[in-house]
């Protein structure tokens, strides 16, 4: 589809520095301010708490005010914080990190909002699968780039470059959202393929403009779609939360297994291979003819994650982690596609809640796996997060059948 590569690349440029932020903040506190790892973790946690609280509010603001002013405020706030982060004393850095998280529009939310506008329902599984692929690529590259810049140059250099990339990427989305809208997808199809070249150039501008108008005019989608029901939204958000829990708990469990086996030096390889598997899983899930219910890949993810602690050698683990890593990407794509059913007037809030759910799952996964590992050994981490995913999947599977008639998520005008 014309314009999709442009959208995905713009979203990737926003995701890349965001993924590196926790590591860069931790290194700034530990290396730049010479504070303890506990103090570094507190700053990263404050930033993550800000993201969780701010994502739904920023989504509501984009529904209410349009995308452009929200992105402009976000870009200014990120520029102000990251330009001064290396000169802040610890209490100011702690407060500034939380404020930065509160005012950060995640790249995943931006990309999903634009993809939801420009893709037909039957193509959204493929579109969100590609979005999951770019997210995995940012997970592979972001922390590594942040670590190299912080250790080979300085934490201050990493902070400033991270801020520059964030401001440029958010500013690009904001500027493009004010340009004239492109023809609709149906009009493009009726006009033939001779418009494909111009569609590619103008796609991001038109899609962002359509998202920008979500809070001010109705349009055919608002009239033709009642909105996402509370049951569908609830299962999608619960699935995203559980998948995030598995993803973050998975990494800590890998570390515990390798430490138990005396193979800590192979942790980096295992995590990198997980990213490759996840990219492959995202590409394969995009080829599915039917978008699965979010509970299906989540249930399978939990079932294949729980027994991974039985692997008695890191080489076995290198192969055994493939199904779990691939299903994690599939689960993210399925839950995002379910949330995309929201109308234009509610899409910002729903996808903002989705981003908060993923961040909340990421925040819970590592502590859950850590406690389970301390109580039951290295295998306990995999069992804990896998069991949590299974339980949430079973609850999500039963929810629609018990809710009966569902109510639509209220729109801004409703």
């Amino acid at each position: 589809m014309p314009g999709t590569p442009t959208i995905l690349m713009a979203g990737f440029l926003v995701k890349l520095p965001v993924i590196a932020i926790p590591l860069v903040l931790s290194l700034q506190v530990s290396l730049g301010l010479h504070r303890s790892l506990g103090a570094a973790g507190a700053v990263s946690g404050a930033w993550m708490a800000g993201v969780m609280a701010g994502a739904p509010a920023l989504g509501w603001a984009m529904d209410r005010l349009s995308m452009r002013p929200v992105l402009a405020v976000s870009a200014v706030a990120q520029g102000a914080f990251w330009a001064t982060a290396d000169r802040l004393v610890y209490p100011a850095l702690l407060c500034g990190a939380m404020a930065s998280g509160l005012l950060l529009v995640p790249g995943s939310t931006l990309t999903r909002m634009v993809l939801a506008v420009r893709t037909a329902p039957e193509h959204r599984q493929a579109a969100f699968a590609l979005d999951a692929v770019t997210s995995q690529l940012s997970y592979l590259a972001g922390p590594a780039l942040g670590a190299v810049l912080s250790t080979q140059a300085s934490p201050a250099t990493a902070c400033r470059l991270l801020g520059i990339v964030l401001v440029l990427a958010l500013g690009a989305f904001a500027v493009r959202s004010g340009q004239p809208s492109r023809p609709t997808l149906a009009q493009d199809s009726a006009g033939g393929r001779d418009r494909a070249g111009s569609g590619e150039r103008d796609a991001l501008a038109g899609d962002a403009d359509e998202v920008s108008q979500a809070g001010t005019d109705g349009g055919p989608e608002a009239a033709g779609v009642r909105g996402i029901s509370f049951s569908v939204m609830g299962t999608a958000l619960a699935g995203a939360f559980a998948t995030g829990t598995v993803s973050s708990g998975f990494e800590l469990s890998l570390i515990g297994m390798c430490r138990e086996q005396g193979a800590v030096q192979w942790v980096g390889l295992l995590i990198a291979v997980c990213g490759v598997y996840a990219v492959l899983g995202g590409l394969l899930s995009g080829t599915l003819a039917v978008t699965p219910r979010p509970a299906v890949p989540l249930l399978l993810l939990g079932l294949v994650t729980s027994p991974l602690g039985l692997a008695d050698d890191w080489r076995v683990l290198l192969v055994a982690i493939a199904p779990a890593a691939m299903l994690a990407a599939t689960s993210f794509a399925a839950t995002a596609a379910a949330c995309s059913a929201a109308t234009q007037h509610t899409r910002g809030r729903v996808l903002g809640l989705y981003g908060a759910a993923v961040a909340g799952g990421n925040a819970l996964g590592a502590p859950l796996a850590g406690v389970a590992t301390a109580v039951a050994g290295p295998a306990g981490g995999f069992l804990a997060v896998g069991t949590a995913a299974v339980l949430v999947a079973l609850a999500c599977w039963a929810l629609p059948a018990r809710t009966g008639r569902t109510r639509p998520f209220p729109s801004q005008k409703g």
Side-chain angles (χ1 to χ4, degrees):
M1 295 175 61
T4 301
T6 306
I7 297 165
L8 294 172
M9 180 56 67
F12 175 76
L13 292 177
V14 182
K15 295 174 189 178
L16 188 64
V18 171
I19 298 300
I21 284 176
L23 178 64
V24 171
L25 284 175
S26 297
L27 291 175
Q28 169 61 22
V29 174
S30 59
L31 299 181
L33 299 181
H34 306 288
R35 301 292 289 262
S36 67
L37 291 178
V43 172
S44 297
W47 175 82
M48 187 170 292
V51 172
M52 291 173 59
L58 292 173
W60 175 87
M62 285 190 283
D63 286 336
R64 181 83 175 181
L65 304 174
S66 83
M67 179 184 284
R68 190 177 190 184
V70 176
L71 288 181
V73 171
S74 182
V76 171
Q78 300 309 313
F81 173 70
W82 291 106
T84 59
D86 62 297
R87 296 190 292 272
L88 296 176
V89 296
Y90 181 77
L93 183 63
L94 186 68
C95 296
M98 178 171 286
S100 172
L102 281 169
L103 294 174
L104 175 62
V105 182
S108 295
T109 299
L110 288 174
T111 308
R112 290 165 187 149
M113 288 183 69
V114 175
L115 289 175
V117 167
R118 79 171 311 273
T119 54
E122 62 270 19
H123 295 149
R124 284 178 184 164
Q125 172 67 17
F128 287 113
L130 288 173
D131 176 60
V133 167
T134 62
S135 296
Q136 292 300 326
L137 292 175
S138 66
Y139 273 103
L140 285 173
L145 290 175
V148 169
L149 288 172
S150 297
T151 56
Q152 301 303 315
S154 68
T157 301
C159 288
R160 290 171 187 154
L161 288 179
L162 186 151
I164 290 171
V165 175
L166 261 182
V167 170
L168 290 177
L170 291 171
F173 266 106
V175 171
R176 299 284 279 182
S177 70
Q179 296 184 6
S181 178
R182 64 168 176 82
T184 64
L185 186 61
Q187 291 170 334
D188 286 341
S189 299
R193 296 185 177 229
D194 56 318
R195 301 185 192 176
S198 60
E200 173 71 36
R201 292 190 298 271
D202 298 334
L204 180 57
D207 296 331
D209 188 64
E210 289 180 56
V211 176
S212 297
Q213 299 303 318
T216 57
D217 56 16
E221 185 181 12
V225 179
R226 292 183 62 216
I228 185 170
S229 68
F230 281 116
S231 63
V232 172
M233 183 181 69
T235 56
L237 294 180
F241 182 90
T243 306
T245 300
V246 173
S247 296
S248 60
F250 195 90
E251 294 182 0
L252 190 141
S253 300
L254 280 178
I255 295 173
M257 288 292 294
C258 289
R259 187 175 62 180
E260 178 75 9
Q261 298 171 8
V264 177
Q265 68 272 23
W266 299 109
V267 169
L269 174 63
L270 285 168
I271 292 178
V273 169
C274 277
V276 175
Y277 286 148
V279 169
L280 180 59
L283 293 174
L284 292 177
S285 69
T287 66
L288 297 176
V290 178
T291 302
R293 288 178 58 180
V296 176
L298 179 61
L299 177 62
L300 296 175
L301 173 61
L303 292 175
V304 300
T305 299
S306 298
L308 285 177
L310 299 177
D312 57 357
D313 189 274
W314 71 269
R315 299 173 187 84
V316 177
L317 205 56
L318 191 66
V319 178
I321 58 178
M326 295 172 71
L327 283 165
T330 305
S331 183
F332 278 128
T335 52
C339 284
S340 71
T343 65
Q344 290 181 347
H345 299 296
T346 62
R347 186 173 290 127
R349 281 173 287 170
V350 171
L351 291 176
L353 287 170
Y354 181 88
V358 174
N362 287 335
L364 174 65
L368 176 61
V371 170
T373 299
V375 172
F382 288 116
L383 182 61
V385 296
T387 301
V390 170
L391 294 176
V392 172
L394 293 175
C396 290
W397 190 281
L399 180 62
R402 293 190 297 184
T403 54
R405 186 178 61 85
T406 56
R407 293 180 295 149
F409 192 67
S411 70
Q412 192 65 45
K413 295 184 178 181

